[in-house]
Amino acid sequence: MEVVIAPGAELARLAADVIDRLLRTRAAQERPAVLGLATGSSPLAVYDELARRHAEEGLSFAHASAFMLDEYVGLAAEHPERYRNVIEREIAGRVDIAPEAVHGPDGLADDLPAACARYEEAIADAGGVDVQLLGIGTDGHVAFNEPGSSLASRTRIKTLTRQTRQDNARFFAGDVDQVPTHCLTQGLATIMAARHLVLLASGRGKAEAVHQLAEGPVSAMWPATVLQHHPHVTVLVDDAAASRLQLADYYRETFAAKPAWQRL
């Protein structure tokens, strides 16, 4: 696990660099790229930077496909906070990715377990995710894998904790009662199958979760800690989110001394 501490704008650029490099490399090889897209606040600056590079530097998503981490259950198809609509608004509609190449779990399906199984199959049929963007909740959840989630879990229905619903109420006019109580989410094992995980976190509110993620024991009580077992994880955090890290100085020294040839 590589921990990088830097200002927010720099973190967004670093994350965008990873995706930029993947897209351009695969285009040159005439091979598709598979992206994992996250919602929430953490990836927004990354999406802005990718959209800028598409508009100004010719970065193309035409041969990419994308898979979303999660989706609310029962939220109307036209609701602005339905995650499919959020992804369309924040990134898919701003670049040249084909609409049919953007996939998400179907939170309006009549048979939710079957929809989850189909989603797992779709990811596998695409060859798996190359780069997965992630955020982290204040309680250490990734995607909607709340504390207590199985570290071997796959895409499934989950009940959101009160804390997660309160955290997300800002997207629903501050009314926690408007936040759905259930979601479909990629499981922790599903996320761990991606080839490169890029997690972003900012703000002091994420500091304890980041500390547990990078330096705590692996535990279902802090679901993100399972990422310690992944062979290629990049954790991008600002100073506030890094404020609880015991090895913060070492992480800074390591990144400053990183060989030029060694990328994220």
Side-chain angles (χ1 to χ4, degrees):
M1 178 180 288
E2 180 176 21
V3 178
V4 179
I5 304 170
E10 176 69 4
L11 299 178
R13 185 189 66 77
L14 289 169
D17 284 347
V18 172
I19 295 173
D20 187 314
R21 183 166 63 249
L22 172 70
L23 292 174
R24 294 186 193 274
T25 299
R26 291 296 178 80
Q29 297 170 341
E30 297 184 344
R31 295 172 57 205
V34 183
L35 305 176
L37 302 180
T39 51
S41 318
S42 298
L44 294 182
V46 181
Y47 295 151
D48 286 342
E49 175 62 12
L50 290 171
R52 185 196 66 77
R53 295 185 191 195
H54 169 68
E56 299 177 10
E57 300 175 8
L59 180 63
S60 177
F61 293 71
H63 299 293
S65 60
F67 288 86
M68 295 162 42
L69 277 174
D70 39 37
E71 182 60 272
Y72 288 117
V73 168
L75 209 57
E78 67 277 8
H79 196 289
E81 295 308 319
R82 182 175 183 250
Y83 282 159
R84 184 58 181 263
N85 297 331
V86 172
I87 288 296
E88 173 67 20
R89 182 169 68 243
E90 299 298 344
I91 183 62
R94 303 167 68 188
V95 298
D96 60 343
I97 192 169
E100 63 273 15
V102 181
H103 309 276
D106 185 0
L108 293 173
D110 292 330
D111 187 336
L112 292 174
C116 293
R118 287 195 300 271
Y119 197 58
E120 286 280 331
E121 292 171 3
I123 296 172
D125 289 346
V129 173
D130 292 306
V131 175
Q132 175 67 64
L133 290 179
L134 297 169
I136 186 170
T138 57
D139 59 2
H141 72 257
V142 287
F144 274 136
N145 294 284
E146 300 283 22
S149 292
S150 167
L151 303 184
S153 55
R154 292 285 180 174
T155 303
R156 68 214 186 285
I157 187 169
K158 286 291 290 181
T159 302
L160 301 178
T161 65
R162 181 72 178 181
Q163 181 63 57
T164 295
R165 294 178 69 229
Q166 288 173 338
D167 289 347
N168 286 0
R170 67 189 188 278
F171 301 115
F172 292 82
D175 184 359
V176 69
D177 292 330
Q178 293 186 33
V179 182
T181 57
H182 292 90
C183 66
L184 301 185
T185 182
Q186 287 189 32
L188 293 170
T190 311
I191 292 167
M192 290 286 285
R195 285 176 274 279
H196 184 185
L197 305 178
V198 179
L199 184 146
L200 298 104
S202 61
R204 191 167 295 274
K206 300 294 180 70
E208 182 61 25
V210 168
H211 165 57
Q212 295 292 336
L213 160 68
E215 299 172 341
V218 175
S219 167
M221 286 301 294
W222 293 91
T225 58
V226 73
L227 272 59
Q228 293 179 26
H229 289 303
H230 194 282
H232 193 186
V233 182
T234 304
V235 176
L236 303 172
V237 293
D238 65 7
D239 287 321
S243 61
R244 283 276 292 116
L245 290 174
Q246 294 173 269
L247 298 174
D249 289 342
Y250 174 70
Y251 301 140
R252 291 187 177 97
E253 291 168 6
T254 300
F255 187 64
K258 192 170 185 176
W261 56 266
Q262 191 179 44
R263 296 170 172 170
L264 291 182

